[in-house]
Amino acid sequence: MITLKKDDIVLQQHFTNKKEAIRAAGKQLSSQGYVSADYIEKMIERDRLTTTYIGNMVAIPHGTDDSKSLIKQSGIVVLQVPEGVDFDGNQVRLIIGIAGLGDEHLALLSSIALVCAEMENVHQLIAAESKAEIIDLFKEEVIA
């Protein structure tokens, strides 16, 4: 089970474009020890292949299939972007970077999608004023 920690969350971010936003998510994954720095470029490559925008103002950047060796341990980071950033014509206000070893990758995607399918949850995550509020919203579905 993945544990979302306060250090995994960055509030009130501002980005000029999606590449900058994806890099920030990758740097957060790297600084938390989940991935090596090379994973960041694989996240950008993955978004070029197929958008990581999933709808409801949420993007889930992650690496390509060939980047599994760059993952040190499974992890999740959350970047709150209240003013939004453009992802190919879609306004993204919540960026959830993930790195999953083995089958954990698909389980993470599925659990995040369950939380973010409800617009009420997404609005609460965007409006959250503390990291604890974000942890509480994800706790039931994604993380222990």
Side-chain angles (χ1 to χ4, degrees):
M1 188 61 88
I2 307 293
T3 301
L4 181 64
K5 302 179 295 298
K6 287 185 179 180
D7 289 344
D8 295 329
I9 301 167
V10 187
L11 302 175
Q12 300 292 322
Q13 294 299 287
H14 306 278
F15 303 110
T16 56
N17 58 55
K18 75 172 182 172
K19 198 170 182 180
E20 182 183 333
I22 293 169
R23 274 192 208 289
K27 286 179 184 172
Q28 188 67 14
L29 283 167
S30 179
S31 71
Q32 291 301 104
Y34 300 129
V35 300
S36 71
D38 294 336
Y39 189 79
I40 298 167
E41 288 307 312
K42 293 296 187 176
M43 292 172 75
I44 291 167
E45 181 182 323
R46 169 64 176 77
D47 186 74
R48 270 196 309 264
L49 294 170
T50 308
T51 185
T52 54
Y53 174 73
I54 64 160
N56 288 359
M57 301 183 289
V58 179
I60 307 178
H62 53 283
T64 57
D65 287 340
D66 67 349
S67 65
K68 296 283 185 195
S69 64
L70 303 173
I71 299 172
K72 298 176 183 179
Q73 67 182 51
S74 294
I76 175 176
V77 296
V78 177
L79 285 71
Q80 182 195 62
V81 190
E83 295 173 13
V85 60
D86 181 70
F87 267 60
D88 306 315
N90 299 295
Q91 195 71 352
V92 170
R93 294 197 163 115
L94 197 64
I95 298 167
I96 305 169
I98 65 168
L101 290 171
D103 293 339
E104 288 182 318
H105 180 80
L106 294 175
L108 280 171
L109 283 171
S110 173
S111 296
I112 292 165
L114 283 173
V115 172
C116 295
E118 298 292 330
M119 278 307 291
E120 181 181 335
N121 291 342
V122 174
H123 286 298
Q124 288 178 17
L125 291 164
I126 294 166
E129 295 181 10
S130 74
K131 295 177 180 186
E133 289 176 69
I134 291 176
I135 290 170
D136 287 345
L137 282 163
F138 275 108
K139 194 173 279 184
E140 292 178 26
E141 287 295 336
V142 183
I143 8 262

